[in-house]
Amino acid sequence: MNLNQKIKGINFKNPVLLASGTYGFGLKFKEVINLTGGIITKTITFKPMIGNPPPRIYEFEGGIINSIGLENPGVKYFKNKILPNLKNLNTNLIVSIGGNSVKEIIDLIKTLEDEIISAYEINLSCPNVKEGGINLGQNPLIVEKILKEAKKITKKPIIAKIPSVFCNPIEIAKITENNGADFITITNTIPGLVINIEREKPFLGGISGGISGPFLKYYSLYLVAKIRKIIKIPVIGCGGIRDYKDVLEYLFCGAMLVEIGTLNLVNPFIVAKIIKDLKEWGKERRIKNIKKIIGKIEIEI
Ligand SMILES: Cc1cc2nc3c(=O)[nH]c(=O)nc-3n(C[C@H](O)[C@H](O)[C@H](O)COP(=O)(O)O)c2cc1C
């Protein structure tokens, strides 16, 4: 099965992308990264962020809860010290950007605009300090402003990674499309809390965290199936993928691409197997092109 797709001018050798925050900045395991359709680097902010105190990860049967807290070295370090090491990547380099104001996101794009980057993924789940910590992406007016301003200053494709709770994800998806987003990623982690009963306080150093992993697939898949009927821009499915069968579920529901996150923390080589399995699955069924299976199942929800 030919897994290659050209979408919005970007050539994806296969539909499997590495989700932001789960493969660092792409400096390690380059041979694995080069097998994928692209890497989305850890979200960077304009200024460096030290992140949350430990513990930062809690594991449970269905996944993990992380409270990394957007630890990153800031855009200047990223541009001067990290990007030069990524010039010879043989796949798409997608840079995840975030901030707690519209201005911060626009300043980030301005700083990176001359760099060789396939696309930006805007992480709309960054907390807005001024609005009492709610995520930027949960406020439709802010989402509209971010997309509008960003489209004015960049010609690179923009992927809007939307939050999916404490907002109407369908409304947010529509707003990103109406304001020029080229792709939409569904979904980021959803908020969670764990209590340490011995110590009588929250377990995570950052108090609350983001839940990801296998359990998330069922909610994310539902959203992908629903939202892709409402918008025309390509949807990237993200959440809970463990193997090629999970990838197929997303593709059948209409996602053109997928992102794999938590699984990379368990095994950084597993994406290579998933891509191989996907190819073999198609070959066994004599399916010539991946396009034949995208959105194959008609779902009315
Ligand atoms: C440890 C960790 C760090 C993450 N950091 C980011 C990040 O910096 N930016 C972002 O947009 N998403 C981040 N995410 C969310 C993932 O990119 C992904 O959207 C989410 O984990 C759901 O996919 P999964 O179930 O395959 O992990 C992070 C997830 C984990 C587990």
Side-chain angles (χ1 to χ4, degrees), residues 158-171:
I158 291 184
I159 305 170
K161 186 174 185 183
I162 63 164
S164 55
V165 291
F166 295 114
C167 63
N168 178 349
I170 293 159
E171 182 193 6

Side-chain angles (χ1 to χ4, degrees), residues 140-151:
L141 295 175
I142 296 185
V143 173
E144 185 178 334
K145 197 143 188 232
I146 292 174
L147 266 304
K148 243 188 205 141
E149 297 295 318
K151 284 307 278 189

Side-chain angles (χ1 to χ4, degrees), residues 40 94-97 105 119-125 137 143-144 146-148 150-151 156-164 169 172-188 227 231 233-238 259:
I40 300 143
I94 299 169
V95 175
S96 170
I97 55 174
I105 291 174
Y120 299 108
E121 183 176 77
I122 304 184
N123 176 0
L124 290 168
S125 297
V143 173
E144 185 178 334
I146 292 174
L147 266 304
K148 243 188 205 141
K151 284 307 278 189
K156 297 192 205 305
I158 291 184
I159 305 170
K161 186 174 185 183
I162 63 164
S164 55
I172 299 293
K174 197 88 194 118
I175 289 171
T176 61
E177 175 177 57
N178 289 345
N179 290 284
D182 298 279
F183 297 77
I184 182 169
T185 300
I186 302 166
T187 171
N188 211 315
I227 290 176
I231 62 174
I233 54 174
V235 170
I236 306 175
C238 178
E259 293 181 11

Side-chain angles (χ1 to χ4, degrees), residues 19-22 42-43 64 66 68 70 96 123 161 187-189 212-213 216 238-241 260-262 265:
S20 178
T22 62
K42 170 81 192 160
T43 299
I64 62 171
N66 90 82
I68 309 291
L70 283 191
S96 170
N123 176 0
K161 186 174 185 183
T187 171
N188 211 315
T189 56
S212 64
L216 189 59
C238 178
I241 294 176
I260 296 182
T262 304
L265 307 179

